[in-house]
Amino acid sequence: MKTKYGMAIDLRKCVGCEACSIACKIENRVNEGKWRTRVWEWDYGAYPQVSKIKLPTLCNHCQEAPCLEVCPVKANFHSEEGVVLINRDKCIGCGYCIAACPYGARFKDAVTGQADKCTMCYHRVEAGLMPVCVSTCISHARIFGDLDDPQGYLARYIREHQAWQVKGTSTYYVLAQGMDPSLIPKELQHDKVISLWKNLVHPAGKVMMGVAAGAVLLGTAINAVKGGKHDAE
Amino acid sequence: MQNETGRVPRFNLMERVGHWTHAVACIFLLATGLALVFSKYGDLMGPNVLRVFRTIHHGLGYVFVFVPLGILLFGTGRTFLAWIKACFKWSKNDVGFLLGFPREFFGFKVQLPKQGKFNGGEKVNSLITMATFWVMAVTGLIMLNPEGFSRTTMLTAYTLHAAGALTLGTVLIGHVYLALLHPGSKESMKGMIWGTVSQKFAKEHHALWYDEVTSGGKAVKESGNGPQVIRKL
């Protein structure tokens, strides 16, 4: 049975207590001033019907993740369950993935010099626990589980509460009443600049360098055969 | 003047120091940076070496941006600006040079039109060097100080940095070939190391420049083994 971990966040329930952000920092020893998950506060509606919304965000664990695409050393990878993880042995801290993430979910760990981000508490999940942001949530606003198990709690919750998927990712939001859906993270879109960079500039540049090297080899060979005269005085 | 063993001054000390600091920085920056483009090379180095490469690359970047420019601007500003001006001034002879030079590159004889201090090929090389300098400097400084730049700006910077690096790599291969391996151009290497070239080379390769420095100039024979120096009065 395939498993695909995902998370639904019920914006009707989140009260913005930040227990998740703090628990995450403690559990994962996140650098001072950096966050793997945050709770934002936005206003919506028109006066006098104005509401505040608390909006937790985290790594959305994209399927065709831009961070995987730009990593030059293949340090980013999907776990079997679709969780985007960083291989600490491979990451050299170039920072490409930090720039490539459309959700601002990544940052540089000042201690290790490597990229850091939410792992869905993979170490806890592997041990049979919930991600710490889920188990610490006082209002049960975060639901973690297997998206591929239609009878599982997460899949049922998404169906029953008509959660919005951040398309292309493993994150779902149940909107608060009357809330503008544009407030939740945008669906994953393939970035043209990344394509230009990786699919055009790199191959074309390699061809250019290859042609130059070939020309030099050919020139050197011709000169060797001809015993080319040097500009001796 | 008629003395064929006389030497013609071509590059002063600051011009040569400026050239070689730029050259050394360039070579090490390419050797460390291209490991993230040529993945087999990167794999061969392994993550620990790549981390050292990263540190070298980031430090040397500042040398590349500030040291050669400072040396040329403050050490020999007049000739530095003259070089830039010359590279933007194009004549029929320069175009003729570019049309004929591919044959010479591969070691075949070709009659090239008379050239000034910098021939058409050197002008192209210089212009690419100037253009890539700005591209690499600006994008590199953005990459080293990413705070406050948008995602698109960052991704564009990475893309242009890769394009600039691969262009530099291509040009460098040809440049090194002409300086070290090509039989017809060896004397020019002496010009960039010792500062002078033979009269024969100056006449054959840079006739217009030779005429310019010799008309109204005179040869001064120094005592001992010292080179003959022609000074423009």
Side-chain angles (χ1 to χ4, degrees), chain A residues 172-183:
Chain A
Y172 291 73
Y173 286 92
V174 181
L175 302 190
Q177 199 176 10
M179 183 189 151
D180 182 354
S182 72
L183 289 173

Side-chain angles (χ1 to χ4, degrees), chain B residues 34-98:
Chain B
L34 287 179
L36 300 190
V37 176
F38 294 91
S39 49
K40 289 217 176 71
Y41 168 43
D43 290 346
L44 195 70
M45 294 295 119
N48 286 324
V49 174
L50 289 181
R51 283 177 199 124
V52 176
F53 275 13
R54 179 197 64 187
T55 308
I56 294 173
H57 197 87
H58 290 180
L60 217 49
Y62 287 102
V63 174
F64 173 86
V65 175
F66 295 111
V67 176
L69 190 63
I71 290 171
L72 292 175
L73 207 55
F74 298 112
T76 179
R78 217 166 51 84
T79 64
F80 178 49
L81 294 177
W83 165 63
I84 294 171
K85 256 171 122 176
C87 291
F88 281 98
K89 223 170 111 188
W90 281 72
S91 68
K92 255 192 205 155
N93 284 19
D94 295 317
V95 178
F97 180 93
L98 288 184

Side-chain angles (χ1 to χ4, degrees), chain B residues 76-216:
Chain B
T76 179
R78 217 166 51 84
T79 64
F80 178 49
L81 294 177
W83 165 63
I84 294 171
K85 256 171 122 176
C87 291
F88 281 98
K89 223 170 111 188
W90 281 72
S91 68
K92 255 192 205 155
N93 284 19
D94 295 317
V95 178
F97 180 93
L98 288 184
L99 294 175
F101 188 69
R103 284 179 60 79
E104 167 140 343
F105 183 94
F106 289 111
F108 299 102
K109 269 243 163 327
V110 60
Q111 191 62 42
L112 294 165
K114 287 184 171 187
Q115 297 295 301
K117 182 170 183 183
F118 303 105
N119 65 41
E122 286 166 341
K123 285 182 184 178
V124 169
N125 177 61
S126 299
L127 289 172
I128 295 176
T129 305
M130 292 172 206
T132 48
F133 172 81
W134 288 110
V135 170
M136 301 314 272
V138 171
T139 57
L141 289 173
I142 289 174
M143 288 152 68
L144 284 172
N145 306 282
E147 290 80 14
F149 290 105
S150 75
R151 173 172 181 254
T152 306
T153 306
M154 291 307 299
L155 291 176
T156 308
Y158 286 128
T159 307
L160 289 175
H161 205 76
L166 288 160
T167 306
L168 267 173
T170 305
V171 172
L172 184 73
I173 291 171
H175 193 70
V176 168
Y177 164 72
L178 290 173
L180 296 176
L181 299 168
H182 191 275
S185 310
K186 288 219 156 174
E187 185 67 20
S188 62
M189 187 73 176
K190 289 185 187 161
M192 199 43 99
I193 294 177
W194 307 112
T196 62
V197 291
S198 69
Q199 286 190 15
K200 184 172 175 289
F201 174 86
K203 263 189 239 172
E204 285 177 4
H205 291 256
H206 301 277
L208 295 177
W209 170 64
Y210 181 76
D211 291 347
E212 197 183 304
V213 292
T214 48
S215 67

Side-chain angles (χ1 to χ4, degrees), chain A residues 88-89 91-92 95-96 99-100 113 191 193 197 201 206 208-209 215-216 219-220 222-223 226 229-231 233, chain B residues 7 36-38 47 50-51 54 106-107 151 154-155 158-159 163 166 170 173 177 183-184 186-187 198 201 205:
Chain A
R88 299 266 155 230
D89 293 336
C91 177
I92 58 164
Y96 292 178
D191 198 285
V193 184
W197 174 17
V201 167
K206 286 177 186 177
M208 255 170 29
M209 279 186 76
V216 162
T220 310
I222 291 173
N223 281 315
K226 291 178 55 158
K229 289 189 297 292
H230 290 226
D231 269 338
E233 287 152 52
Chain B
R7 309 282 304 167
L36 300 190
V37 176
F38 294 91
L50 289 181
R51 283 177 199 124
R54 179 197 64 187
F106 289 111
R151 173 172 181 254
M154 291 307 299
L155 291 176
Y158 286 128
T159 307
L166 288 160
T170 305
I173 291 171
Y177 164 72
K186 288 219 156 174
E187 185 67 20
S198 69
F201 174 86
H205 291 256

